[in-house]
Coordinates of all heavy atoms in Angstrom, one line a residue:
N26 N 106.7 145.1 54.3 CA 106.1 144.0 55.0 C 104.8 144.5 55.8 O 104.5 144.0 56.8 CB 107.1 143.4 56.0 CG 108.2 142.8 55.3 OD1 108.1 142.3 54.2 ND2 109.4 142.7 56.0
Y27 N 104.1 145.4 55.2 CA 102.9 145.9 55.8 C 101.7 145.0 55.5 O 100.7 145.2 56.2 CB 102.6 147.3 55.3 CG 103.7 148.3 55.6 CD1 104.3 149.0 54.5 CD2 104.2 148.5 56.9 CE1 105.3 149.9 54.8 CE2 105.2 149.4 57.1 CZ 105.8 150.1 56.1 OH 106.7 151.0 56.4
G28 N 101.8 144.2 54.5 CA 100.7 143.4 54.1 C 100.0 142.6 55.2 O 98.7 142.6 55.2
K29 N 100.7 142.0 56.1 CA 100.1 141.3 57.2 C 99.2 142.2 58.1 O 98.2 141.8 58.6 CB 101.1 140.5 58.0 CG 102.1 141.4 58.8 CD 103.1 140.5 59.5 CE 104.2 141.4 60.2 NZ 105.2 140.6 60.9
F30 N 99.7 143.4 58.3 CA 98.9 144.4 59.1 C 97.6 144.8 58.3 O 96.5 144.9 59.0 CB 99.7 145.6 59.5 CG 100.9 145.2 60.2 CD1 102.2 145.4 59.7 CD2 100.9 144.6 61.5 CE1 103.3 145.1 60.4 CE2 102.0 144.3 62.2 CZ 103.2 144.5 61.6
F31 N 97.7 145.0 57.0 CA 96.5 145.3 56.2 C 95.5 144.2 56.3 O 94.3 144.4 56.5 CB 96.9 145.5 54.8 CG 97.8 146.7 54.5 CD1 98.6 146.7 53.4 CD2 97.8 147.8 55.3 CE1 99.5 147.7 53.1 CE2 98.7 148.9 55.1 CZ 99.5 148.8 54.0
K32 N 96.0 142.9 56.2 CA 95.1 141.8 56.2 C 94.5 141.6 57.6 O 93.3 141.3 57.7 CB 95.9 140.5 55.8 CG 95.0 139.3 55.6 CD 95.7 138.1 55.1 CE 94.8 137.0 54.8 NZ 95.5 135.8 54.2
Q33 N 95.3 141.7 58.6 CA 94.8 141.6 60.0 C 93.7 142.6 60.3 O 92.6 142.3 60.8 CB 95.9 141.7 61.0 CG 96.8 140.6 61.1 CD 98.0 140.9 62.0 OE1 98.2 142.0 62.5 NE2 98.9 139.9 62.3
A34 N 93.9 143.8 59.8 CA 92.9 144.9 60.0 C 91.6 144.6 59.3 O 90.5 144.8 59.8 CB 93.4 146.2 59.7
R35 N 91.7 144.1 58.0 CA 90.6 143.8 57.2 C 89.8 142.7 57.8 O 88.5 142.7 58.0 CB 91.0 143.5 55.8 CG 89.7 143.1 54.9 CD 90.1 142.7 53.5 NE 91.1 141.6 53.4 CZ 90.7 140.3 53.6 NH1 89.4 140.0 53.8 NH2 91.6 139.4 53.5
I36 N 90.5 141.6 58.2 CA 89.8 140.4 58.8 C 89.2 140.8 60.1 O 88.1 140.4 60.5 CB 90.8 139.3 58.9 CG1 91.1 138.7 57.5 CG2 90.2 138.1 59.8 CD1 92.2 137.7 57.5
G37 N 89.9 141.6 60.9 CA 89.4 142.1 62.2 C 88.1 142.9 62.0 O 87.3 142.9 62.9
S38 N 88.0 143.6 60.9 CA 86.8 144.3 60.6 C 85.7 143.5 59.9 O 84.6 144.0 59.6 CB 87.1 145.5 59.7 OG 88.1 146.4 60.3
K39 N 86.0 142.2 59.7 CA 85.0 141.3 59.1 C 84.6 141.8 57.7 O 83.4 141.7 57.4 CB 83.8 141.1 60.0 CG 84.2 140.4 61.3 CD 83.0 140.2 62.2 CE 83.2 139.4 63.4 NZ 84.2 139.7 64.3
L40 N 85.6 142.2 56.9 CA 85.3 142.7 55.6 C 86.0 141.8 54.6 O 87.1 141.3 54.9 CB 85.8 144.2 55.4 CG 85.2 145.2 56.4 CD1 85.8 146.5 56.1 CD2 83.7 145.3 56.2
T41 N 85.4 141.7 53.4 CA 86.1 140.9 52.3 C 86.9 141.9 51.5 O 86.7 143.1 51.5 CB 85.0 140.3 51.4 OG1 84.3 141.3 50.8 CG2 84.1 139.3 52.2
Q42 N 87.8 141.3 50.8 CA 88.7 142.1 49.9 C 87.8 142.8 48.8 O 88.0 143.9 48.5 CB 89.7 141.2 49.2 CG 90.8 140.8 50.0 CD 91.9 140.0 49.3 OE1 91.6 139.6 48.1 NE2 93.0 139.8 49.9
Q43 N 86.7 142.1 48.4 CA 85.9 142.7 47.4 C 85.1 143.9 47.9 O 85.0 144.9 47.3 CB 84.9 141.7 46.8 CG 84.1 142.2 45.6 CD 85.0 142.6 44.5 OE1 85.7 141.8 44.0 NE2 84.9 143.9 44.0
Y44 N 84.6 143.8 49.2 CA 83.9 144.9 49.8 C 84.8 146.1 49.9 O 84.5 147.2 49.6 CB 83.4 144.5 51.2 CG 82.7 145.6 51.9 CD1 81.3 145.8 51.6 CD2 83.3 146.4 52.8 CE1 80.6 146.8 52.3 CE2 82.6 147.4 53.4 CZ 81.3 147.6 53.2 OH 80.6 148.6 53.8
V45 N 86.1 145.9 50.4 CA 87.0 147.0 50.5 C 87.3 147.6 49.2 O 87.3 148.8 49.0 CB 88.4 146.4 51.2 CG1 89.4 147.5 51.1 CG2 88.1 146.0 52.6
A46 N 87.5 146.8 48.2 CA 87.8 147.3 46.8 C 86.6 148.1 46.3 O 86.8 149.2 45.8 CB 88.0 146.1 45.9
D47 N 85.4 147.7 46.5 CA 84.2 148.4 46.1 C 84.2 149.8 46.8 O 83.9 150.8 46.2 CB 82.9 147.6 46.4 CG 82.8 146.4 45.5 OD1 83.5 146.3 44.5 OD2 82.0 145.5 45.8
K48 N 84.4 149.8 48.1 CA 84.4 151.0 48.9 C 85.4 152.0 48.4 O 85.2 153.2 48.4 CB 84.5 150.8 50.4 CG 83.3 150.2 51.0 CD 82.2 151.2 51.0 CE 81.0 150.8 51.9 NZ 79.9 151.8 51.8
L49 N 86.6 151.5 48.1 CA 87.7 152.4 47.7 C 87.7 152.6 46.2 O 88.6 153.3 45.7 CB 89.1 151.8 48.1 CG 89.5 152.1 49.5 CD1 88.6 151.7 50.6 CD2 90.9 151.5 49.8
Q50 N 86.8 152.0 45.5 CA 86.7 152.1 44.0 C 87.9 151.7 43.3 O 88.5 152.4 42.5 CB 86.3 153.6 43.6 CG 84.9 154.0 44.2 CD 84.5 155.4 43.8 OE1 85.3 156.2 43.6 NE2 83.2 155.6 43.9
I51 N 88.4 150.5 43.7 CA 89.6 149.9 43.1 C 89.3 148.5 42.8 O 88.1 148.0 43.0 CB 90.8 150.0 44.0 CG1 90.5 149.3 45.4 CG2 91.2 151.5 44.2 CD1 91.7 149.2 46.3
R52 N 90.2 147.7 42.3 CA 90.0 146.3 42.0 C 90.4 145.5 43.2 O 91.2 145.8 44.0 CB 90.8 145.9 40.8 CG 90.4 146.6 39.5 CD 91.2 146.1 38.4 NE 90.7 146.8 37.2 CZ 91.3 146.7 36.0 NH1 92.3 146.0 35.8 NH2 90.7 147.4 35.0
Q53 N 89.7 144.4 43.3 CA 90.0 143.4 44.4 C 91.5 143.0 44.4 O 92.1 142.8 45.4 CB 89.0 142.2 44.3 CG 89.3 141.1 45.4 CD 90.3 140.1 44.9 OE1 90.4 139.8 43.7 NE2 91.0 139.6 45.9
S54 N 92.0 142.9 43.2 CA 93.4 142.5 43.0 C 94.4 143.5 43.7 O 95.4 143.1 44.2 CB 93.8 142.2 41.6 OG 93.6 143.4 40.8
N55 N 94.0 144.8 43.7 CA 94.8 145.8 44.4 C 94.9 145.5 45.9 O 96.0 145.5 46.5 CB 94.3 147.2 44.2 CG 94.3 147.6 42.8 OD1 93.3 147.9 42.2 ND2 95.5 147.7 42.2
V56 N 93.7 145.1 46.5 CA 93.7 144.8 47.9 C 94.5 143.6 48.2 O 95.3 143.6 49.1 CB 92.2 144.6 48.4 CG1 92.2 144.3 49.9 CG2 91.4 145.9 48.1
S57 N 94.4 142.6 47.3 CA 95.2 141.4 47.5 C 96.7 141.7 47.4 O 97.5 141.2 48.2 CB 94.8 140.4 46.4 OG 95.6 139.2 46.5
D58 N 97.1 142.5 46.4 CA 98.5 142.9 46.2 C 99.0 143.6 47.5 O 100.1 143.3 47.9 CB 98.7 143.8 45.0 CG 98.5 143.0 43.7 OD1 98.5 141.8 43.7 OD2 98.4 143.7 42.6
W59 N 98.2 144.4 48.1 CA 98.7 145.1 49.3 C 98.9 144.1 50.4 O 99.9 144.2 51.1 CB 97.6 146.2 49.7 CG 97.4 147.3 48.8 CD1 98.2 147.7 47.7 CD2 96.3 148.1 48.7 NE1 97.6 148.7 47.0 CE2 96.4 149.0 47.6 CE3 95.1 148.2 49.5 CZ2 95.5 150.0 47.3 CZ3 94.2 149.2 49.2 CH2 94.4 150.1 48.1
E60 N 98.0 143.2 50.6 CA 98.0 142.2 51.6 C 99.2 141.2 51.5 O 99.6 140.6 52.4 CB 96.7 141.5 51.8 CG 95.6 142.4 52.3 CD 94.3 141.7 52.5 OE1 94.2 140.5 52.3 OE2 93.3 142.4 53.0
N61 N 99.6 141.0 50.2 CA 100.6 140.1 49.9 C 102.0 140.8 49.6 O 102.9 140.1 49.1 CB 100.2 139.2 48.8 CG 99.1 138.2 49.2 OD1 99.3 137.4 50.1 ND2 98.0 138.4 48.6
D62 N 102.1 142.0 50.0 CA 103.3 142.8 49.8 C 103.8 142.9 48.4 O 105.0 142.9 48.1 CB 104.4 142.3 50.7 CG 104.1 142.6 52.2 OD1 103.7 143.7 52.5 OD2 104.3 141.7 53.0
V63 N 102.9 142.8 47.4 CA 103.2 142.9 46.0 C 103.4 144.4 45.7 O 104.2 144.8 44.9 CB 102.2 142.2 45.1 CG1 102.5 142.5 43.6 CG2 102.2 140.7 45.4
S64 N 102.5 145.2 46.3 CA 102.5 146.7 46.1 C 102.0 147.3 47.4 O 101.5 146.6 48.3 CB 101.7 147.1 44.9 OG 100.3 146.8 45.1
R65 N 102.1 148.6 47.4 CA 101.6 149.4 48.6 C 100.6 150.4 48.1 O 100.7 151.0 47.0 CB 102.8 150.1 49.3 CG 103.8 149.1 49.9 CD 104.8 149.9 50.6 NE 105.8 148.9 51.2 CZ 106.9 149.3 51.7 NH1 107.3 150.5 51.6 NH2 107.8 148.4 52.2
P66 N 99.6 150.7 49.0 CA 98.6 151.7 48.6 C 99.2 153.1 48.7 O 100.2 153.4 49.4 CB 97.6 151.5 49.7 CG 98.3 151.0 50.9 CD 99.3 150.1 50.3
E67 N 98.7 154.0 47.8 CA 99.0 155.4 47.9 C 98.5 155.9 49.2 O 97.6 155.4 49.9 CB 98.4 156.1 46.7 CG 99.0 155.7 45.4 CD 98.4 156.4 44.2 OE1 97.6 157.4 44.5 OE2 98.7 156.1 43.1
Y68 N 99.1 157.1 49.6 CA 98.8 157.6 50.9 C 97.3 157.8 51.1 O 96.7 157.5 52.1 CB 99.5 159.0 51.1 CG 99.1 159.7 52.4 CD1 99.7 159.2 53.6 CD2 98.2 160.7 52.4 CE1 99.3 159.8 54.8 CE2 97.9 161.3 53.6 CZ 98.4 160.9 54.8 OH 98.1 161.5 56.0
E69 N 96.6 158.3 50.1 CA 95.1 158.6 50.2 C 94.4 157.3 50.4 O 93.4 157.3 51.2 CB 94.6 159.3 48.9 CG 95.2 160.7 48.6 CD 96.6 160.7 48.1 OE1 97.1 159.6 47.6 OE2 97.1 161.8 48.0
K70 N 94.8 156.2 49.8 CA 94.1 154.9 50.0 C 94.4 154.4 51.4 O 93.6 153.8 52.0 CB 94.5 153.9 48.9 CG 94.1 154.3 47.5 CD 92.6 154.4 47.4 CE 92.2 154.8 46.0 NZ 90.8 155.2 45.9
L71 N 95.6 154.7 51.9 CA 96.0 154.2 53.2 C 95.1 154.9 54.3 O 94.6 154.2 55.2 CB 97.5 154.6 53.5 CG 98.1 154.1 54.8 CD1 98.1 152.6 54.8 CD2 99.5 154.6 55.0
V72 N 94.8 156.2 54.1 CA 93.9 156.9 55.0 C 92.5 156.3 54.9 O 91.9 156.1 55.9 CB 93.9 158.4 54.6 CG1 92.9 159.2 55.4 CG2 95.3 159.0 54.9
E73 N 92.1 156.1 53.7 CA 90.7 155.5 53.5 C 90.6 154.1 54.2 O 89.6 153.8 54.8 CB 90.4 155.4 52.0 CG 90.1 156.7 51.3 CD 89.8 156.6 49.9 OE1 88.9 155.8 49.6 OE2 90.5 157.2 49.1
L74 N 91.7 153.3 54.0 CA 91.7 152.0 54.7 C 91.6 152.1 56.2 O 90.8 151.4 56.8 CB 93.0 151.2 54.3 CG 93.1 150.6 53.0 CD1 94.5 150.0 52.8 CD2 92.1 149.5 52.8
A75 N 92.4 153.0 56.8 CA 92.3 153.2 58.2 C 90.9 153.6 58.7 O 90.4 153.0 59.7 CB 93.3 154.3 58.6
K76 N 90.3 154.5 57.9 CA 88.9 154.9 58.3 C 87.9 153.7 58.1 O 87.1 153.5 59.0 CB 88.5 156.0 57.4 CG 89.1 157.3 57.7 CD 88.7 158.4 56.8 CE 89.4 159.7 57.1 NZ 89.0 160.8 56.1
L77 N 88.1 153.0 57.0 CA 87.2 151.8 56.8 C 87.3 150.7 57.8 O 86.3 150.2 58.3 CB 87.5 151.3 55.4 CG 86.6 150.2 54.9 CD1 85.1 150.6 54.8 CD2 87.0 149.7 53.5
Y78 N 88.6 150.5 58.2 CA 88.8 149.4 59.2 C 88.7 149.9 60.6 O 88.8 149.2 61.6 CB 90.2 148.9 59.0 CG 90.5 148.2 57.7 CD1 91.8 148.1 57.2 CD2 89.5 147.7 56.9 CE1 92.1 147.4 56.0 CE2 89.7 147.1 55.7 CZ 91.1 146.9 55.3 OH 91.3 146.3 54.1
Q79 N 88.5 151.2 60.8 CA 88.4 151.9 62.1 C 89.6 151.6 63.0 O 89.5 151.2 64.1 CB 87.1 151.5 62.8 CG 85.9 151.9 62.0 CD 84.6 151.5 62.7 OE1 84.6 151.0 63.8 NE2 83.5 151.8 62.1
V80 N 90.8 151.8 62.4 CA 92.1 151.7 63.1 C 92.9 152.9 62.7 O 92.6 153.6 61.8 CB 92.8 150.4 62.7 CG1 92.0 149.2 63.0 CG2 93.2 150.4 61.2
S81 N 94.0 153.1 63.4 CA 94.9 154.2 63.1 C 95.8 153.8 62.0 O 96.0 152.6 61.7 CB 95.7 154.6 64.3 OG 96.7 153.6 64.6
I82 N 96.4 154.8 61.3 CA 97.4 154.5 60.3 C 98.6 153.7 60.9 O 99.2 152.9 60.3 CB 97.9 155.8 59.6 CG1 96.7 156.3 58.7 CG2 99.1 155.5 58.7 CD1 97.0 157.6 58.0
Y83 N 98.9 154.1 62.2 CA 100.0 153.4 62.9 C 99.7 151.9 63.0 O 100.6 151.1 62.8 CB 100.2 153.9 64.3 CG 100.8 155.3 64.3 CD1 100.1 156.4 64.9 CD2 102.0 155.6 63.8 CE1 100.6 157.7 65.0 CE2 102.6 156.8 63.9 CZ 101.9 157.9 64.4 OH 102.4 159.1 64.5
D84 N 98.4 151.5 63.3 CA 98.0 150.1 63.3 C 98.2 149.5 62.0 O 98.7 148.3 61.9 CB 96.6 150.0 63.8 CG 96.4 150.3 65.2 OD1 97.3 150.2 66.0 OD2 95.2 150.7 65.6
L85 N 97.8 150.1 60.9 CA 98.0 149.6 59.6 C 99.4 149.3 59.2 O 99.7 148.4 58.4 CB 97.3 150.5 58.5 CG 95.8 150.4 58.3 CD1 95.3 151.3 57.2 CD2 95.4 148.9 58.0
L86 N 100.3 150.2 59.7 CA 101.7 150.0 59.4 C 102.5 149.2 60.4 O 103.7 149.0 60.3 CB 102.3 151.4 59.2 CG 101.7 152.3 58.1 CD1 102.3 153.7 58.1 CD2 101.9 151.6 56.8
G87 N 101.8 148.8 61.5 CA 102.5 148.0 62.5 C 103.4 148.7 63.4 O 104.3 148.2 64.0
V88 N 103.1 150.0 63.6 CA 104.0 150.9 64.4 C 103.3 150.9 65.8 O 102.2 151.3 65.9 CB 104.1 152.3 63.9 CG1 104.8 153.2 64.8 CG2 104.7 152.3 62.5
P89 N 104.1 150.5 66.8 CA 103.5 150.6 68.2 C 103.1 152.0 68.6 O 103.8 152.9 68.2 CB 104.6 150.1 69.1 CG 105.6 149.4 68.2 CD 105.4 150.0 66.8
E90 N 101.9 152.1 69.2 CA 101.4 153.5 69.5 C 102.4 154.2 70.5 O 102.5 155.5 70.4 CB 100.0 153.4 70.2 CG 99.0 153.0 69.2 CD 97.6 153.0 69.7 OE1 97.4 153.9 70.6 OE2 96.8 152.2 69.3
E91 N 103.0 153.5 71.4 CA 103.9 154.3 72.3 C 105.1 154.8 71.6 O 105.8 155.7 72.2 CB 104.3 153.4 73.5 CG 105.2 152.2 73.1 CD 104.4 150.9 72.7 OE1 103.2 151.0 72.6 OE2 105.1 149.9 72.4
E92 N 105.4 154.4 70.4 CA 106.6 154.9 69.7 C 106.2 156.1 68.9 O 105.8 156.0 67.7 CB 107.2 153.8 68.8 CG 108.5 154.3 68.1 CD 109.1 153.2 67.3 OE1 108.7 152.0 67.4 OE2 110.0 153.5 66.5
D93 N 106.1 157.2 69.5 CA 105.7 158.4 68.8 C 106.9 159.2 68.1 O 108.0 158.8 68.3 CB 104.9 159.4 69.7 CG 105.7 159.9 70.9 OD1 106.9 159.9 70.8 OD2 105.0 160.2 71.9
F94 N 106.6 160.2 67.4 CA 107.6 160.9 66.7 C 108.6 161.6 67.6 O 109.8 161.6 67.3 CB 107.0 162.0 65.8 CG 106.3 161.4 64.6 CD1 104.9 161.5 64.5 CD2 106.9 160.7 63.6 CE1 104.2 160.9 63.4 CE2 106.3 160.2 62.5 CZ 104.9 160.3 62.4
D95 N 108.2 162.1 68.7 CA 109.2 162.7 69.6 C 110.2 161.7 70.1 O 111.4 162.0 70.2 CB 108.4 163.3 70.8 CG 107.6 164.6 70.4 OD1 108.0 165.2 69.4 OD2 106.7 164.9 71.1
K96 N 109.8 160.5 70.5 CA 110.7 159.5 71.0 C 111.7 159.1 69.9 O 112.9 159.0 70.1 CB 109.9 158.3 71.5 CG 109.2 158.5 72.8 CD 108.5 157.3 73.2 CE 107.7 157.5 74.5 NZ 106.9 156.4 74.9
R97 N 111.1 158.9 68.6 CA 112.0 158.6 67.5 C 113.0 159.7 67.2 O 114.1 159.4 66.9 CB 111.2 158.2 66.3 CG 110.7 156.8 66.3 CD 110.1 156.4 65.0 NE 108.7 156.6 65.2 CZ 107.9 156.8 64.1 NH1 108.3 156.8 62.9 NH2 106.6 157.0 64.3
K98 N 112.5 160.9 67.3 CA 113.4 162.1 67.0 C 114.5 162.1 68.0 O 115.7 162.3 67.6 CB 112.5 163.3 67.0 CG 113.3 164.6 66.6 CD 112.4 165.8 66.5 CE 113.1 167.0 66.2 NZ 112.3 168.2 66.2
K99 N 114.2 162.0 69.3 CA 115.3 162.0 70.3 C 116.3 160.9 70.1 O 117.4 161.1 70.2 CB 114.6 161.9 71.7 CG 113.9 163.1 72.1 CD 113.3 163.0 73.5 CE 112.4 164.2 73.8 NZ 111.7 164.0 75.1
R100 N 115.7 159.7 69.8 CA 116.6 158.5 69.6 C 117.5 158.7 68.4 O 118.7 158.4 68.4 CB 115.7 157.3 69.4 CG 116.5 156.0 69.3 CD 115.7 154.7 69.3 NE 114.7 154.8 68.2 CZ 113.5 154.5 68.3 NH1 112.9 154.2 69.4 NH2 112.7 154.6 67.2
N101 N 116.9 159.2 67.3 CA 117.7 159.5 66.0 C 118.8 160.6 66.3 O 119.9 160.5 65.8 CB 116.8 159.9 64.9 CG 116.0 158.7 64.4 OD1 116.3 157.5 64.6 ND2 114.9 159.0 63.7
S102 N 118.4 161.6 67.0 CA 119.4 162.7 67.2 C 120.5 162.2 68.1 O 121.6 162.6 68.0 CB 118.7 163.9 67.8 OG 118.2 163.7 69.1
A103 N 120.2 161.3 69.0 CA 121.3 160.8 69.9 C 122.2 159.9 69.1 O 123.4 159.9 69.4 CB 120.6 160.0 71.0
T104 N 121.7 159.1 68.1 CA 122.6 158.3 67.4 C 123.4 159.0 66.3 O 124.4 158.5 65.8 CB 121.8 157.1 66.7 OG1 120.8 157.7 65.8 CG2 121.1 156.2 67.7
N105 N 122.9 160.2 66.0 CA 123.6 161.0 65.0 C 124.7 161.9 65.5 O 125.4 162.6 64.8 CB 122.7 161.8 64.1 CG 121.8 161.0 63.2 OD1 122.2 159.9 62.8 ND2 120.6 161.5 63.0
Q106 N 124.9 161.9 66.8 CA 125.9 162.7 67.5 C 127.3 162.0 67.5 O 127.5 160.9 67.5 CB 125.5 163.1 68.9 CG 124.3 164.0 68.9 CD 123.9 164.4 70.3 OE1 124.5 164.0 71.3 NE2 122.8 165.1 70.3

């Protein structure tokens, strides 16, 4: 369900799907598929998207910034005991 975050970031950057596709050297249909949860970008493309949209990967994935790995690690270790 990351598609909505991809789309929000793209629209927030005032970019078209075609522009993003051209910059990433992919097809416009790939960008559409990502935004509609048909498929997901590979890690390298995710990094490129974040740079292009000028957002963090966390933003693209809809992960709140305050929820960092240390907090999740502590929470997970507490539930595994």
Side-chain angles (χ1 to χ4, degrees):
N26 296 333
Y27 302 122
K29 65 181 175 183
F30 302 113
F31 296 152
K32 186 173 185 176
Q33 287 172 352
R35 179 181 58 78
I36 291 172
S38 298
K39 296 181 173 51
L40 303 176
T41 64
Q42 288 182 347
Q43 187 61 56
Y44 180 85
V45 172
D47 291 345
K48 284 294 191 183
L49 273 59
Q50 299 180 335
I51 58 173
R52 295 183 178 174
Q53 178 270 329
S54 61
N55 294 118
V56 179
S57 177
D58 287 350
W59 298 340
E60 292 182 0
N61 290 299
D62 291 317
V63 174
S64 64
R65 293 184 182 166
E67 294 179 6
Y68 177 77
E69 292 80 10
K70 296 298 182 192
L71 186 63
V72 171
E73 290 180 53
L74 282 176
K76 289 179 182 177
L77 185 61
Y78 297 158
Q79 297 182 5
V80 298
S81 72
I82 291 177
Y83 290 119
D84 290 334
L85 278 181
L86 299 177
V88 176
E90 288 186 32
E91 66 273 2
E92 186 177 345
D93 61 23
F94 289 111
D95 289 333
K96 290 179 184 177
R97 277 190 267 159
K98 186 177 178 181
K99 288 177 185 175
R100 185 174 57 230
N101 288 339
S102 67
T104 58
N105 290 332
Q106 293 181 1

